């Protein structure tokens, strides 16, 4: 260290305090990186790696990025899993004695990003903290860019499974754990399975009960957490305290926009496990992870960033409370019935910027003048929104109209103070409007008059001296000057003072010119600094109103979602569902919301559904592949989910008894990461259903038991159906699609079971899928016809028909299977007639074939091959 330059010593001292980050070290107009940071960052960012002398006699690796373009480079590093520490100059280099003082002003991690250019405006950027004890888990959720802060506890049986479901719902980008969990391999493995989730560990003491509780009290300035409804939620408090400590450690700010904490319980929402979210394709498709083809794609007509995020959040957490669901549905109904208000609202909301994240940047002190103009333009819309909703009668819309704050004081402040088209940087001047500050106006006048005097100086001096080529100029080194060519030097007045000699001219100054130069330059510097100071004062005044801005943002977001729901209902011919606390699930002419949108050349065939908790709990659905069984079952699940979200539904009529959970077992594939086969993945999902479903759940099962042998699969499918059907165990409303036609016998053995099938029409060797659900089970699977549609070779299809005919005439096990599965007979007699083997070779093999088998093909010449072929031909003809 003694051999290093003072700047490099300063760098290494700061870097030692932040070893797990890429340190962006501010030098003038660049952020520089040195040593290993430079080597790592240059590769990650694909920028040039250079070197500089550090004072030790050796070259130090170095790379850098311009400070004005740093956001894009930081975003790329964050995406690649790095943390970035921003080290700024914290004193003016012009007044600094010795090396400029520098400090880390912020550490950027995936969950602490606030820059709009680094965020997806349509989704929340959640950071979560998790603690664990013998009772279960505490979870805290923070969204730094908006100020959202919440907590919950997950305890009791299957707590870990429910925790993972909650993480699946939130889709956080970063998870903070107490460092004591570094050694917990189970939790690490479970959390690492979530794509895009960065794991970080923080001081254990920050998550302790006493430290966490006191940290929350200090931050919110309260004597207890009762006002937030959080008192006594011990695990949640521990997680929240740890998250808050992490944020303060990394952000180096007071975080005033995080001004409340919201307790919530997962019992308030319909629980959806990760498999169900994936199978129902709520926000993205299974195939390629795109929005198009998902439920969100169909129903999203939001126009604000806040509305888009809230809509996605609502789809991920359907409600269980009938009163709240009804309030949403009533608001949607009112807007759906009034096209003019709906259209006018869209135009107004389209002018509203992202108020949530604008408030966050104001609180952070990173908002610029353009952000304030965007805030003003957004708030100016509020009185017009209130006026449109003046006659609203639904409780949800009426409350928005009554509580929406027009924030006239904030609008007036920005309107009076900030130029409508300010520069991007708050240090470039020309931010403050004329008339707002007398001091700014005075300095601007002085600067303007000085420039006018200098502009007239050239003409005056040309006339006074008679030097026609005389010019007045300016550069950053010498300031203003008078330039005279060499041929006219004899005419230069004596009061001119030579300043610079050029090849063909001399440059001069005068006392008066320097006086005006000092006036202009001093005024410009002073007015720029004064404008910056005034802007910071204005921003701080607005920061004191951040709570009001956040409240306004939440109301506008809800209004935008209501309007979006109404737009989806009108465009797609949806109907208002009847949501009850009963067990009846009745749908008439129901449609799949996504599939009907994707169909372009044929109409969607609607279907009816009826399930309840007594007479019709289990519906066995049979029929060929591609006929529409899976689409139908997903359609029913989505209609229930849409209704409990507050959406209208694609049906002529829908009566939905509240569903506490939706489970789907639809398709599976090998999990190579954990070494699990398709069948093992399937059985894990089935086990999750059997262990967690209740009588209020909706269960969707598609082809249980396909991944093992026929008899094993049939036995498992039958046993699962019986278990779910049993009201003493589960008794859930269930749609069960299967190719095991033997399961249709359940309807004759147990009450509460019904059979349906997908209707088809045969036309020669072809079949036509009618897509209609009809009573009764299917009598066959039409597998060979479907294979023909898929393009299998004719020879394979012919052989398949032969094998099928053989199996149908030689194997009669149906009756025995039914009795064994129903428990009525312990032993079933099986016909011992020998079954023809599909793969058995004929007993007499032609000698010509034997001769071909013995050939050495690789050493056979073309002539030999022709001769041999001729001999074999003759031999076969003789036989």
């Amino acid at each position: 260290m003694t051999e290093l330059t003072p700047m490099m010593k300063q760098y290494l001292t700061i870097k030692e305090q932040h070893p797990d980050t890429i340190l962006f070290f501010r030098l003038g107009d660049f952020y520089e990186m040195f040593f290993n940071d430079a080597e790592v960052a240059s590769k990650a960012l694909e920028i040039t790696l250079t070197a500089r002398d550090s004072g030790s006699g050796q070259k130090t690796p170095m790379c850098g990025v311009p400070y004005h373009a740093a956001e894009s480079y930081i975003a790329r590093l964050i995406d690649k899993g790095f943390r970035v520490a921003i080290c700024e100059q914290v004193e003016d280099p012009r007044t600094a004695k010795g090396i400029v003082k520098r400090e880390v002003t912020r550490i950027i991690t995936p969950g602490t990003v606030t820059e709009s250019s680094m965020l997806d405006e349509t989704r929340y950027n959640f950071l979560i903290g998790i603690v664990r004890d013998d009772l279960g888990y505490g979870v805290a959720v923070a969204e730094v860019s908006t100020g959202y802060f919440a907590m919950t506890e997950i305890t009791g049986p299957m707590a870990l499974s429910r925790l993972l479901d909650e993480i699946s719902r939130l889709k956080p980008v970063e998870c903070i754990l107490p460092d004591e969990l570094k050694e917990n391999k189970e939790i690490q493995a479970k959390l690492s399975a979530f794509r895009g989730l960065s794991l970080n560990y923080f001081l254990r003491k920050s998550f302790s009960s006493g430290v966490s509780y006191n940290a929350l009290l200090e931050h919110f300035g309260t004597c207890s957490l009762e006002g937030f409804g959080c008192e006594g939620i011990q695990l949640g408090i521990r997680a929240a305290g740890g998250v808050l400590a992490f944020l303060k450690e990394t952000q180096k700010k007071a975080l005033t926009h995080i001004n409340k904490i919201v307790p919530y319980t997962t019992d308030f929402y319909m629980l959806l496990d990760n498999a169900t979210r994936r199978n129902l394709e709520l926000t993205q498709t299974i195939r390629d992870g795109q929005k198009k083809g998902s439920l969100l794609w169909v129903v999203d007509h939001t126009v604000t960033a806040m509305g888009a995020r809230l809509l996605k959040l609502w789809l991920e957490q359907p409600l269980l409370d009938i009163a709240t669901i009804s309030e949403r549905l009533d608001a949607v109904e009112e807007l759906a019935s009034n096209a003019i208000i709906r259209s006018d609202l869209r135009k107004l909301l389209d002018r509203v910027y992202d108020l949530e994240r604008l408030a966050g940047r104001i609180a952070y002190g990173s908002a610029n003048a353009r952000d304030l103009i965007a805030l003003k333009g957004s708030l100016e819309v509020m009185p017009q929104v209130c006026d449109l909703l003046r006659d609203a009668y639904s409780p949800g819309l009426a409350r928005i109209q009554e509580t929406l704050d027009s924030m006239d004081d904030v609008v007036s402040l920005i309107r009076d103070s900030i130029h409508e088209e300010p520069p991007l940087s708050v240090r470039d001047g020309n931010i403050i409007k004329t008339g707002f500050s007398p001091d700014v106006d005075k300095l601007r006048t002085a600067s303007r008059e000085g420039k006018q005097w200098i502009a007239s100086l050239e003409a005056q001096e040309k006339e006074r001296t008679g030097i026609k080529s005389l010019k007045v100029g300016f550069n950053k080194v010498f300031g203003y000057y008078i330039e005279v060519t060499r041929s006219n030097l004899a005419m230069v007045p004596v009061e001119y003072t030579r300043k610079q000699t050029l090849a063909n001219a001399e440059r001069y100054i005068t006392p008066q010119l320097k006086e005006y130069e000092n006036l202009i330059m001093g005024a410009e510097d002073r007015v720029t600094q004064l404008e910056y100071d005034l802007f910071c004062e204005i921003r701080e005044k607005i920061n004191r109103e951040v709570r009001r801005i956040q409240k306004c943002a939440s109301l506008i977001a809800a209004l935008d979602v209501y309007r979006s729901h109404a737009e989806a209902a009108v465009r797609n011919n949806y109907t208002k569902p009847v949501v009850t606390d009963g067990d009846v699930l009745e749908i008439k002419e129901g449609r799949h919301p996504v599939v009907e949108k994707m169909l372009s050349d044929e109409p969607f065939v609607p279907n009816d559904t009826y399930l309840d908790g007594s007479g019709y709990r289990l519906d066995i659905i049979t029929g060929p592949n591609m006929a529409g069984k899976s689409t139908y079952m997903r359609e029913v699940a989505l209609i229930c989910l849409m209704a409990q979200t507050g959406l209208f539904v694609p049906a002529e009529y829908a009566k939905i008894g509240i569903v506490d959970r939706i489970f789907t077992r639809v398709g599976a594939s090998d999990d190579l990461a954990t070494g699990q086969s398709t069948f093992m993945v399937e059985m894990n999902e089935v086990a999750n259903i059997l262990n967690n479903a209740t009588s209020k759940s909706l269960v969707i099962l598609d082809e249980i038991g396909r991944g093992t042998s026929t008899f094993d699969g049939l036995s498992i499918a039958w046993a699962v159906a019986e278990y779910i059907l049993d009201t003493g165990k589960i008794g859930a409303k269930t749609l069960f699609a299967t190719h095991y036609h033997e399961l249709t016998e359940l309807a004759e053995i147990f009450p509460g079971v019904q059979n349906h099938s997908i209707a088809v029409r045969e036309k020669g060797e072809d079949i036509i899928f009618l897509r209609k659900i009809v009573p009764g089970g299917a009598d066959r699977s039409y597998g060979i016809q479907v294979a023909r549609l898929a393009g299998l070779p004719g020879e394979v299809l012919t052989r398949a028909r032969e094998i099928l005919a053989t199996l149908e005439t030689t194997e009669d096990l149906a009756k025995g299977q039914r009795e064994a599965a129903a428990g009525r007979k312990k032993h079933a007699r099986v016909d011992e007639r020998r079954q023809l083997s599909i793969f058995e070779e004929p007993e007499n093999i032609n000698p010509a074939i034997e001769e071909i088998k013995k050939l050495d093909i690789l050493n056979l010449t073309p002539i030999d091959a022709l001769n041999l072929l001729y001999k074999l031909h003759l031999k076969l003809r003789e036989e």
Side-chain angles (χ1 to χ4, degrees):
M1 289 283 284
T2 56
E3 299 175 347
L4 298 175
T5 63
M7 186 277 290
M8 196 55 68
K9 288 180 181 178
Q10 184 187 53
Y11 169 84
L12 288 174
T13 300
I14 296 172
K15 174 62 183 175
E16 188 176 7
Q17 299 167 4
H18 304 280
D20 58 347
T21 68
I22 300 290
L23 183 63
F24 271 42
F25 192 76
R26 181 72 177 269
L27 287 176
D29 289 341
F30 281 79
Y31 287 114
E32 302 289 0
M33 289 150 276
F34 300 100
F35 299 102
N36 186 62
D37 278 6
E39 294 174 346
V40 171
S42 64
K43 291 180 181 178
L45 299 174
E46 298 178 348
I47 58 178
T48 302
L49 180 67
T50 61
R52 69 175 290 165
D53 185 7
S54 60
S56 63
Q58 296 181 342
K59 293 291 186 181
T60 298
M62 179 182 80
C63 69
V65 299
Y67 84 95
H68 59 80
E71 283 188 13
S72 62
Y73 292 102
I74 293 171
R76 288 163 63 185
L77 289 173
I78 296 297
D79 284 343
K80 292 178 183 290
F82 297 101
R83 292 152 52 103
V84 178
I86 307 298
C87 183
E88 295 284 7
Q89 299 172 171
V90 293
E91 65 176 337
D92 191 336
R94 294 174 294 183
T95 60
K97 294 181 179 180
I99 189 167
V100 177
K101 186 179 179 181
R102 293 180 175 85
E103 293 178 358
V104 170
T105 58
R106 185 181 168 206
I107 299 172
I108 304 176
T109 68
T112 59
V113 173
T114 60
E115 291 75 9
S116 57
S117 62
M118 298 167 62
L119 291 169
D120 180 352
E121 68 173 14
T122 65
R123 58 165 290 178
Y124 287 108
N125 196 64
F126 285 132
L127 174 148
I128 65 170
I130 298 174
V131 297
R132 177 193 179 191
D133 71 3
D134 294 339
L135 297 176
Y137 299 88
V139 180
V141 186
E143 218 287 353
V144 182
S145 71
T146 64
Y148 178 81
F149 196 27
M151 69 157 80
T152 190
E153 284 185 344
I154 302 175
T155 58
M158 307 297 291
L160 179 57
S161 174
R162 290 166 55 213
L163 169 68
L164 298 177
D165 290 340
E166 181 65 1
I167 295 173
S168 175
R169 178 185 75 83
L170 293 167
K171 295 182 176 62
V173 296
E174 186 171 9
C175 178
I176 309 301
L177 299 166
D179 51 20
E180 66 195 65
L181 292 180
K182 271 187 179 179
E183 307 304 319
N184 191 308
K185 302 302 181 184
E186 179 188 19
I187 290 180
Q188 281 191 35
K190 297 291 187 183
L191 295 178
S192 297
F194 288 95
R195 290 186 59 186
L197 179 61
S198 173
L199 295 183
N200 281 312
Y201 296 90
F202 198 58
L203 299 175
R204 177 187 312 184
K205 67 177 183 180
S206 297
F207 291 90
S208 64
S209 296
V211 172
S212 293
Y213 186 77
N214 290 331
L216 293 171
L217 295 185
E218 180 182 355
H219 177 76
F220 295 119
T222 59
C223 59
S224 77
L225 297 177
E226 289 184 3
F228 301 112
C230 300
E231 196 76 23
I233 307 177
Q234 293 300 323
L235 284 173
I237 289 171
R238 287 179 55 196
V243 166
L244 187 62
F246 174 81
L247 292 177
K248 290 191 172 182
E249 174 72 19
T250 56
Q251 304 310 290
K252 318 290 185 183
K253 295 183 185 295
L255 303 172
T256 55
H257 65 308
I258 299 179
N259 44 52
K260 66 178 179 179
I261 184 165
V262 180
Y264 74 97
T265 170
T266 54
D267 295 337
F268 188 67
Y269 306 110
M270 178 196 293
L271 286 179
L272 300 169
D273 58 39
N274 195 38
T276 298
R277 295 178 193 279
R278 183 183 67 249
N279 291 330
L280 294 183
E281 299 181 301
L282 298 183
T283 60
Q284 61 184 30
T285 59
I286 296 175
R287 182 182 296 274
D288 53 15
Q290 298 298 308
K291 177 182 176 181
K292 183 175 182 180
S294 69
L295 178 61
L296 179 63
W297 169 69
V298 174
V299 302
D300 186 5
H301 297 282
T302 57
V303 293
T304 68
M306 302 95 68
R309 292 193 294 268
L310 185 63
L311 171 59
K312 190 173 183 180
L313 196 65
W314 282 9
L315 285 182
E316 294 273 13
Q317 52 181 39
L319 300 170
L320 300 180
D321 180 64
I322 292 179
T324 308
I325 295 170
S326 297
E327 181 176 290
R328 290 183 183 179
L329 291 171
D330 290 345
V332 174
E333 182 179 41
E334 181 175 354
L335 291 175
S337 65
N338 197 320
I340 295 176
I341 289 181
R342 201 169 63 248
S343 175
D344 289 346
L345 270 179
R346 189 189 193 288
K347 293 173 184 176
L348 289 174
L349 296 182
D350 199 29
R351 292 162 49 190
V352 177
Y353 289 81
D354 194 339
L355 290 173
E356 285 182 328
R357 286 180 172 164
L358 280 174
R361 291 201 292 277
I362 290 168
Y364 254 71
S366 60
N368 59 28
R370 294 184 183 181
D371 289 329
L372 297 195
I373 292 298
L375 175 63
K376 176 182 74 73
S378 301
L379 296 179
E380 284 175 335
V381 168
M382 302 306 139
Q384 299 172 68
V385 171
C386 287
D387 189 54
L388 269 180
L389 299 178
R390 189 191 313 110
D391 299 322
Y393 54 82
S394 62
L397 294 182
R399 186 170 57 255
I400 292 173
Q401 197 278 335
E402 293 167 2
T403 57
L404 190 60
D405 187 350
S406 62
M407 301 195 69
D408 293 333
D409 53 337
V410 174
V411 171
S412 296
L413 174 60
I414 300 172
R415 183 188 295 126
D416 294 342
S417 62
I418 307 296
H419 274 303
E420 287 297 325
E421 297 183 2
L424 183 63
S425 172
V426 295
R427 293 187 177 273
D428 286 348
N430 198 32
I431 293 175
I432 304 300
K433 273 186 174 180
T434 300
F436 181 77
S437 167
D439 291 337
V440 169
D441 293 345
K442 184 178 179 180
L443 288 170
R444 281 181 180 159
T445 299
S447 177
R448 183 171 59 252
E449 290 177 350
K451 288 181 178 180
Q452 289 172 352
W453 182 87
I454 289 176
S456 63
L457 176 64
E458 184 174 304
Q460 293 174 4
E461 289 302 292
K462 281 182 178 181
E463 183 177 350
R464 185 172 77 88
T465 63
I467 303 172
K468 302 301 182 185
S469 62
L470 182 146
K471 294 189 303 183
V472 176
F474 174 84
N475 66 35
K476 291 183 178 180
V477 177
F478 296 108
Y480 287 98
Y481 56 82
I482 300 171
E483 184 175 297
V484 179
T485 59
R486 286 194 174 278
S487 60
N488 293 302
L489 292 182
M491 301 171 68
V492 172
V494 293
E495 65 268 21
Y496 280 20
T497 301
R498 182 184 292 110
K499 188 68 176 176
Q500 184 181 19
T501 300
L502 303 178
N504 297 313
E506 295 284 350
R507 289 178 175 173
Y508 300 88
I509 60 171
T510 67
Q512 196 175 19
L513 179 61
K514 292 304 294 180
E515 182 182 340
Y516 274 95
E517 177 188 298
N518 291 335
L519 175 66
I520 295 167
M521 301 300 289
E524 288 184 344
D525 287 344
R526 290 200 301 276
V527 77
T528 298
Q529 183 61 43
L530 180 57
E531 285 193 72
Y532 174 73
D533 293 340
L534 284 170
F535 173 78
C536 290
E537 290 178 14
I538 293 164
R539 185 171 60 192
E540 182 54 34
K541 285 182 180 179
I542 298 171
N543 183 32
R544 299 186 197 118
E545 311 302 329
V546 157
R547 283 176 181 256
R548 293 167 63 196
I549 298 172
Q550 291 173 323
K551 177 66 174 177
C552 183
S554 67
L555 293 171
I556 289 298
L559 179 60
D560 193 19
V561 175
Y562 289 148
R563 191 206 55 78
S564 173
H565 282 2
E567 195 69 34
V570 173
R571 292 191 185 191
N572 302 321
N573 192 29
Y574 293 169
T575 191
K576 182 181 180 182
V578 178
V579 181
T580 74
D581 58 2
D583 289 324
V584 172
L585 170 56
E586 183 179 7
I587 300 170
K588 294 182 179 179
E589 299 290 288
R591 314 182 309 275
H592 192 294
V594 180
V595 175
E596 75 166 345
K597 273 294 215 185
M598 301 291 279
L599 292 175
S600 57
D601 53 355
E602 60 178 299
F604 187 92
V605 178
N607 279 294
D608 296 345
T609 302
Y610 185 88
L611 293 169
D612 58 35
S614 54
Y616 296 98
R617 292 191 301 278
L618 175 64
D619 196 347
I620 304 294
I621 304 169
T622 49
N625 286 321
M626 291 180 58
K629 298 191 301 296
S630 296
T631 297
Y632 165 69
M633 293 192 300
R634 285 187 173 100
E635 161 194 313
V636 174
L638 286 173
I639 287 175
C640 290
L641 184 144
M642 291 171 71
Q644 290 182 225
T645 298
L647 276 158
F648 281 26
V649 298
E652 284 192 2
Y653 171 82
K655 183 178 183 180
I656 309 296
I658 286 288
V659 172
D660 64 354
R661 296 194 66 163
I662 295 177
F663 293 94
T664 63
R665 217 321 302 169
V666 182
S669 59
D670 291 349
D671 188 344
L672 299 179
T674 59
Q676 294 183 341
S677 67
T678 301
F679 182 64
M680 188 61 180
V681 172
E682 177 184 323
M683 289 300 101
N684 283 336
E685 293 182 1
V686 172
N688 176 51
I689 295 171
L690 300 184
N691 288 321
N692 292 288
T694 72
S695 61
K696 300 289 287 184
S697 301
L698 174 64
V699 178
I700 305 297
L701 297 174
D702 194 0
E703 306 296 350
I704 292 295
R706 286 185 302 180
T708 186
S709 69
T710 301
F711 290 166
D712 281 353
L714 172 59
S715 301
I716 291 171
W718 191 299
V720 167
E722 284 188 359
Y723 192 90
I724 293 175
L725 183 64
D726 189 340
T727 54
K729 296 184 174 68
I730 298 179
K733 296 183 283 290
T734 305
L735 297 175
F736 196 141
T738 182
H739 280 295
Y740 297 133
H741 295 165
E742 293 83 356
L743 291 182
T744 60
E745 297 296 324
L746 286 167
E748 298 183 13
I749 301 172
F750 298 103
V753 183
Q754 56 184 332
N755 289 320
H756 281 91
S757 60
I758 306 289
V760 297
R761 178 183 298 162
E762 294 189 67
K763 191 175 181 180
E765 293 186 352
D766 292 331
I767 56 173
I768 300 172
F769 300 120
L770 301 181
R771 314 292 187 193
K772 200 69 179 175
I773 299 290
V774 296
D779 56 359
R780 50 188 297 201
S781 293
Y782 299 95
I784 295 175
Q785 287 89 335
V786 174
R788 183 176 181 276
L789 292 175
L792 266 65
E795 182 179 348
V796 173
L797 296 173
T798 300
R799 179 60 177 147
R801 291 189 190 94
E802 294 172 358
I803 295 170
L804 178 62
T806 302
L807 293 175
E808 288 177 341
T809 57
T810 58
E811 185 176 21
D812 184 14
L813 301 177
K815 183 176 179 181
Q817 291 166 353
R818 290 196 300 271
E819 292 177 347
R824 294 185 174 185
K825 288 180 64 178
K826 293 184 178 180
H827 302 286
R829 293 188 177 182
V830 180
D831 189 345
E832 296 182 352
R833 290 178 297 173
R834 182 176 179 276
Q835 179 179 332
L836 178 65
S837 171
I838 301 172
F839 306 102
E840 189 176 75
E841 293 187 359
E843 295 178 358
N844 299 320
I845 299 177
N846 193 294
I849 294 175
E850 285 295 310
E851 189 169 346
I852 292 172
K853 286 182 178 180
K854 296 175 182 178
L855 290 175
D856 184 1
I857 299 296
L858 296 178
N859 294 315
L860 195 66
T861 66
I863 295 298
D864 291 339
L866 287 172
N867 290 333
L868 181 60
L869 183 61
Y870 179 70
K871 291 178 181 178
L872 290 173
H873 177 68
L874 293 177
K875 185 178 292 186
L876 290 171
R877 287 185 64 181
E878 291 173 359
E879 294 179 359

